[in-house]
Amino acid sequence: MTVTYLMLAWLAEGGAGAFDVYEGAVLPLLAEYGGRLERRVRTMDDRLEVHLVSFPTEDALDAYRADPRRSAAAPLLESSGAEVQLLPVRDIGDSDSDGDGDSDGTPLPPV
């Protein structure tokens, strides 16, 4: 059964560059464990980055997290000053069928 996680990384002031180097080292490893980076976004002030990631099983996530190459990159994460939280999430479906931010299917008027 696929497992999905929301990763929240609060970045220290000026830490985005170091965090990008860390991500460049570890994100390519996801595919080796069946992981998928579904979405990666960052706030406009570069202080919060959010990933939606999925793995085929909990064991696959555990294996990814235990990969020695990921462990070797840990000092890069530490140097970025990022505080990371990983939250298990579930899909609740698409209640916003018209994409306007509400759930009633009626388009919102233009702003």
Side-chain angles (χ1 to χ4, degrees), residues 33 55 60-68 70-71 86:
Y33 299 94
F55 286 87
L61 169 65
D62 292 343
Y64 165 73
R65 294 184 84 181
D67 187 297
R70 191 171 173 277
S71 299
L86 192 64

Side-chain angles (χ1 to χ4, degrees), residues 11-62:
L11 306 177
E13 184 76 33
F19 189 74
D20 287 341
V21 174
Y22 169 74
E23 294 287 272
V26 300
L27 289 178
L29 304 176
L30 287 170
E32 292 182 33
Y33 299 94
R36 278 189 56 195
L37 178 62
E38 307 284 344
R39 190 74 188 246
R40 179 182 181 194
V41 296
R42 188 179 288 171
T43 57
M44 300 301 283
D45 65 359
D46 286 337
R47 297 301 304 270
L48 176 65
E49 183 162 316
V50 178
H51 297 181
L52 186 64
V53 295
S54 61
F55 286 87
T57 64
E58 192 78 37
D59 288 343
L61 169 65
D62 292 343

Side-chain angles (χ1 to χ4, degrees), residues 50-110:
V50 178
H51 297 181
L52 186 64
V53 295
S54 61
F55 286 87
T57 64
E58 192 78 37
D59 288 343
L61 169 65
D62 292 343
Y64 165 73
R65 294 184 84 181
D67 187 297
R69 295 167 294 177
R70 191 171 173 277
S71 299
L76 297 171
L77 177 61
E78 291 171 18
S79 72
S80 77
E83 294 182 33
V84 178
Q85 186 175 15
L86 192 64
L87 304 169
V89 296
R90 62 185 169 86
D91 187 17
I92 57 172
D94 183 12
S95 60
D96 181 19
S97 61
D98 59 3
D100 66 0
D102 66 16
S103 60
D104 69 359
T106 305
L108 293 175

